[in-house]
Amino acid sequence: MDELIVVKVGGSEGINLEAVCEDIAGMVAEGLHLVLIHGGSHETNEVAEALGHPPQFITSPSGYTSRLTDRRAIEIFEMVYCGRINKGIVEMLQRRGVNAIGLSGLDGRIWSGLRKKAIRALENGRSRVIRDTYTGRVETVNSTLLAMLLEAGMLPVLTPPAISNEGEAINVDGDRAAAATAVAMGAKRLFILSNVPGVLADFPDEDSLIAAITSDEIENIAQTAAQGRMRIKLLAAQEALDGGVEQVVLGDARSPTPITHALAGAGTIIY
Amino acid sequence: MDELIVVKVGGSEGINLEAVCEDIAGMVAEGLHLVLIHGGSHETNEVAEALGHPPQFITSPSGYTSRLTDRRAIEIFEMVYCGRINKGIVEMLQRRGVNAIGLSGLDGRIWSGLRKKAIRALENGRSRVIRDTYTGRVETVNSTLLAMLLEAGMLPVLTPPAISNEGEAINVDGDRAAAATAVAMGAKRLFILSNVPGVLADFPDEDSLIAAITSDEIENIAQTAAQGRMRIKLLAAQEALDGGVEQVVLGDARSPTPITHALAGAGTIIY
């Protein structure tokens, strides 16, 4: 097969999925092979509020923020990520002639891994242990299934949750799942697109974009420059490079042609 | 491949999906091949109410009742059918060691067909034309994709919506989609399981179950005995038989072992 690119598009406000799909359709017509992975946090928060189960977030002792997913939260999460957004994207691609196939990490065990028995959260400066959450980490990617779908001319559109080794739905970080997918598929490039232009030296000043980061600079930049979600994206980039991916681009999903831009090197290139 | 059975399980109240999945896991362990198709109307109605877009139903001049799906309704429909219920079933099967893969009719264009330009509804005895709904009918089943997944050892779990020839999500009747799937896959048997024991001569008296119906009796029984949703199930059965399926069982999904029961001939057998 020709080169495969793994693209992750975030789920924050301001991202135009129609533009993303239009851009993808153009690339597919030119022969590029893609696996698309998407988020959905903004819309999940809205639906969770409307259904009377408002979202909760925790911060780990190492400073990463994540969604607290009890059983009801993961059900709402599935409604929005796997139902509304995944099928919405599949429809947008199909309307443009791309034979998309939408799957969660549960389906065919595309993303499986360990469910965390307990997680630690910082609350008012104190560390607290939380149990009975449905969260975990992708350890194994069913690359055989993804390769079969790609060979058959389809474009896989993937979304959390993943599946635990015991068969439970678990929330996993989408950026890190994208990294694991790129590694498992032997992709040379991984694009992680969100609602910022890339890594900013002086957040939120968009003029302070860092154009390139080498592998050995990631940790230092993660600790000094990166804010909030960007720290997890840098962790995902590190995991991708460690697994053999040659280039990760942290780019802007709000552009009218986000993937064309990332291909052209816009955003922060990490190598 | 060994014999393939297509099973449709409804989405009404009182259906225990855990029992359905437990039963399926037992059959898969014995070597049966299944394609599972599910509904979700009850839970969709609840979520639509909670999200402030209450469900609307219409009755066609020929007496069939169906959901009125404007754009917002189909989005909520996708959340529940493709998100919550489809992924819930996949999880239940995966927990039992069955490698399920959940897909809507949009994915890989599994179910495609014509979107209706307008539909007719009876209102207070008068016929009214309704436009801008997202409804249609399955005309083509991507049996190549389904066969590929089955050959790879997976159990496809399918749900509406389907996809129109223009690439839009369209609501289709799940029973008739199941019939089209059984025909396209060359299945000998189709089980349509819901929250009644089968066709009742004297609805709702469950003791009046009609144990067997031949193909040439269907139309008469549909007009005299069958109520509500059962008329569409008989139409689906007719379509399946016309397409070469040898036996359709309209059975009870509320049983502790619904598929074992249908295999043993419980319910209404149509041949």
Side-chain angles (χ1 to χ4, degrees), chain A residues 103-201:
Chain A
L103 296 163
S104 76
L106 299 164
D107 299 300
R109 303 186 73 83
I110 281 182
W111 290 332
S112 58
L114 200 70
R115 176 181 170 196
K116 291 176 187 164
K117 288 201 166 49
I119 52 177
R120 289 198 163 271
L122 276 188
E123 250 174 36
N124 306 320
R126 293 186 55 179
S127 175
R128 179 164 82 92
V129 172
I130 305 174
R131 296 181 201 281
D132 297 324
T133 71
Y134 290 83
T135 51
R137 197 160 50 81
V138 175
E139 293 171 316
T140 308
V141 175
N142 187 346
S143 53
T144 308
L145 173 55
L146 292 176
M148 184 173 87
L149 299 174
L150 286 162
E151 285 289 337
M154 283 175 271
L155 189 156
V157 180
L158 308 183
T159 179
I163 189 161
S164 74
N165 297 323
E166 289 72 36
E168 303 144 315
I170 47 173
N171 186 17
V172 294
D173 180 69
D175 296 323
R176 297 178 70 190
T181 305
V183 169
M185 300 299 293
K188 293 206 180 86
R189 289 192 275 188
L190 165 66
F191 298 164
I192 301 181
L193 311 177
S194 65
N195 63 344
V196 286
V199 184
L200 305 176

Side-chain angles (χ1 to χ4, degrees), chain A residues 197-213 220-227 230 234 268:
Chain A
V199 184
L200 305 176
D202 183 18
F203 182 86
D205 177 6
E206 299 201 355
D207 290 335
S208 71
L209 177 73
I210 302 175
I213 299 175
N220 187 38
I221 288 177
Q223 284 176 11
T224 56
Q227 311 289 318
M230 192 49 77
L234 285 171
T268 300

